[in-house]
Amino acid sequence: MSKNFTYDDAGVNRKQRVESKRHLELLQETYKQSVFGAVLKLPYGNIFPAGQDRYLDLVIEGVGTKVLIAQLIKKYDTIGIDAVAMAVNDVIRSGAKPLAIADNIHAQESNPDLVKNWLTGVAEGALESGCPVTGGEIGDVAEIINGLTQNAGFDLVIASVGAVNKNEIITGENIKPGDPIIGLASNGLHSNGITLARKILFKQWGGKYEPTDIPYGLTQEIGLEALEPTKIYVKPLLELASKIKIKAAVHITGDAYTKFNNLTRTSPGIGFKFDHFHPQPIFALLQKTATELGYLLSDEEMFKTFNMGWGFGIIVDKNTLDDAMNILDHTNVTSDVIGEITNNKQTVEIIHNNKQMILT
């Protein structure tokens, strides 16, 4: 019998992460120091006032172990896009427009060629996000950072700040059963679940393939497929928000579809049903390869770990759905209705390949 393979088996302990996050309560005492008034708690973070009826959203994000795939295939000019995407896609969840970006790179050494490639991606991501890179730092910390290849180790972190008027904040409130959930298509793995994916797909970490292999179903080398940069949703989200009321915006990242449960903090008594998926081939390859290695990578684990083809979720009132879809059809992202809000309290239901799953 195949052994069930989970994110825990890959080395990411979900229960421990939940326990650790409880210590974030220690930071709440600092909210009193907000200069212009109370910090506003939202389902996916907090925003703080910066003057009359104006709020700022400050986010800092990294790309995790996706940097190891960049090192493995020696391609460094897209990983900066991922870092920017992870930050700005979080900023826009509140309805904020990204105003600026700052980068922080810790490296074994600041090799000029590597720095050029890292910053090429950061610049491309910033241009796509419509905001400048106004600062940053590169630290040579060889005793902390190791790399797969000589002096090529690095970690890349991006901070972004955005601004939103009080009357335009996406609060996550007033979500009701019947409200549709719109999905914005991903580019594949994006920057989450990479630890699990690496250990199934790549020989370097105990998996099956060399990075230059092209498994059946893919159109390019698996290393390049896994390194596809995270999609940036700033322009389509802000375009939509300027024309209709968005009830909630969800960046589908860590914890994947279970992440929607955060919305019950502001709209209690609701659940979520998803029934429309067209995952990119790399997701099916993950499950198939796991089986070939003697593991079982369940459908439930896939939807708890990966975006499964949709990188962003938007909840609107059902009466504005047609207008919302028409607006999104004229943007640079593929979109579709992927589910709806239910009255099954705090339940995330997935229907895929004629199978019903309840994520816990």
Side-chain angles (χ1 to χ4, degrees):
M1 181 178 291
S2 299
K3 179 187 181 299
N4 206 35
F5 196 83
T6 68
Y7 214 6
D8 282 9
D9 296 311
V12 180
N13 187 322
R14 282 197 174 102
K15 289 183 179 179
Q16 181 173 281
R17 283 169 58 85
V18 170
E19 287 294 321
S20 295
K21 287 181 179 180
R22 289 178 181 170
H23 294 305
L24 293 174
E25 296 175 356
L26 296 171
L27 304 179
Q28 292 185 16
E29 183 68 20
T30 69
Y31 296 173
K32 298 175 183 178
Q33 300 180 88
S34 178
V35 175
F36 292 104
V39 170
L40 180 60
K41 297 181 181 180
L42 298 178
Y44 301 101
N46 308 306
I47 59 177
F48 56 97
Q52 186 70 29
D53 295 332
R54 183 83 159 165
Y55 283 79
L56 297 181
D57 193 337
L58 176 62
V59 171
I60 186 166
E61 274 287 349
V63 292
T65 65
K66 193 166 184 176
V67 300
L68 295 176
I69 299 177
Q71 292 177 47
L72 183 66
I73 69 174
K74 298 180 175 61
K75 179 174 171 58
Y76 302 98
D77 61 344
T78 63
I79 197 72
I81 302 173
D82 287 280
V84 171
M86 294 299 288
V88 296
N89 287 346
D90 278 2
V91 164
I92 60 176
R93 297 174 304 186
S94 66
K97 180 186 187 314
L99 299 179
I101 287 168
D103 63 75
N104 181 281
I105 303 172
H106 281 173
Q108 278 184 287
E109 64 173 43
S110 49
N111 177 288
D113 290 335
L114 290 177
V115 171
K116 178 182 178 181
N117 278 278
W118 296 330
L119 295 184
T120 293
V122 171
E124 184 172 341
L127 288 170
E128 176 62 25
S129 305
C131 62
V133 181
T134 57
E137 188 242 1
I138 299 174
D140 288 42
V141 288
E143 292 176 284
I144 298 175
I145 300 289
N146 293 311
L148 295 179
T149 55
Q150 184 86 22
N151 296 324
F154 72 102
D155 188 30
L156 176 56
V157 174
I158 290 286
S160 179
V161 64
V164 59
N165 293 327
K166 184 177 182 179
N167 64 341
E168 297 173 341
I169 297 170
I170 299 174
T171 63
E173 296 174 319
N174 301 316
I175 300 172
K176 299 174 183 177
D179 286 342
I181 306 171
I182 301 170
L184 306 185
S186 72
N187 279 347
L189 289 176
H190 280 189
S191 298
N192 292 95
I194 300 298
T195 296
L196 190 156
R198 286 187 297 105
K199 294 181 179 181
I200 293 296
L201 296 179
F202 294 102
K203 284 185 179 179
Q204 175 73 31
W205 298 287
K208 179 176 179 179
Y209 297 106
E210 296 292 348
T212 54
D213 290 342
I214 306 178
Y216 178 79
L218 299 189
T219 59
Q220 62 180 338
E221 295 176 0
I222 192 169
L224 292 172
E225 186 72 27
L227 201 63
E228 280 290 322
T230 304
K231 186 76 175 174
I232 292 173
Y233 301 107
V234 172
K235 292 177 181 178
L237 187 282
L238 294 181
E239 174 70 13
L240 183 62
S242 71
K243 295 178 179 176
I244 70 163
K245 174 68 176 178
I246 295 176
K247 293 189 175 185
V250 183
H251 189 196
I252 305 173
T253 55
D255 300 322
Y257 291 86
T258 63
K259 198 179 190 78
F260 279 81
N261 260 331
N262 283 25
L263 295 175
T264 61
R265 298 174 185 173
T266 47
S267 292
I270 61 170
F272 312 87
K273 178 182 177 182
F274 300 92
D275 58 7
H276 184 64
F277 295 95
H278 296 291
Q280 290 88 354
I282 195 167
F283 295 110
L285 179 65
L286 263 168
Q287 287 186 287
K288 177 176 179 291
T289 305
T291 300
E292 293 168 352
L293 294 172
Y295 301 122
L296 173 63
L297 186 52
S298 70
D299 290 342
E300 290 86 348
E301 189 66 24
M302 293 295 290
F303 282 96
K304 287 166 64 176
T305 307
F306 300 104
N307 67 65
M308 298 299 285
W310 302 110
F312 208 87
I314 300 170
I315 298 172
V316 299
D317 189 276
K318 60 184 177 182
N319 293 323
T320 63
L321 176 60
D322 289 343
D323 288 339
M325 295 307 300
N326 183 59
I327 293 165
L328 290 170
D329 283 345
H330 291 86
T331 67
N332 65 346
V333 65
T334 299
S335 59
D336 211 337
V337 178
I338 64 173
E340 68 175 7
I341 302 302
T342 71
N343 58 9
N344 297 324
K345 186 176 180 180
Q346 289 185 283
T347 298
V348 178
E349 178 186 3
I350 302 287
I351 299 175
H352 184 55
N353 289 336
N354 298 316
K355 176 182 178 182
Q356 180 191 44
M357 296 164 272
I358 303 297
L359 302 187
T360 58

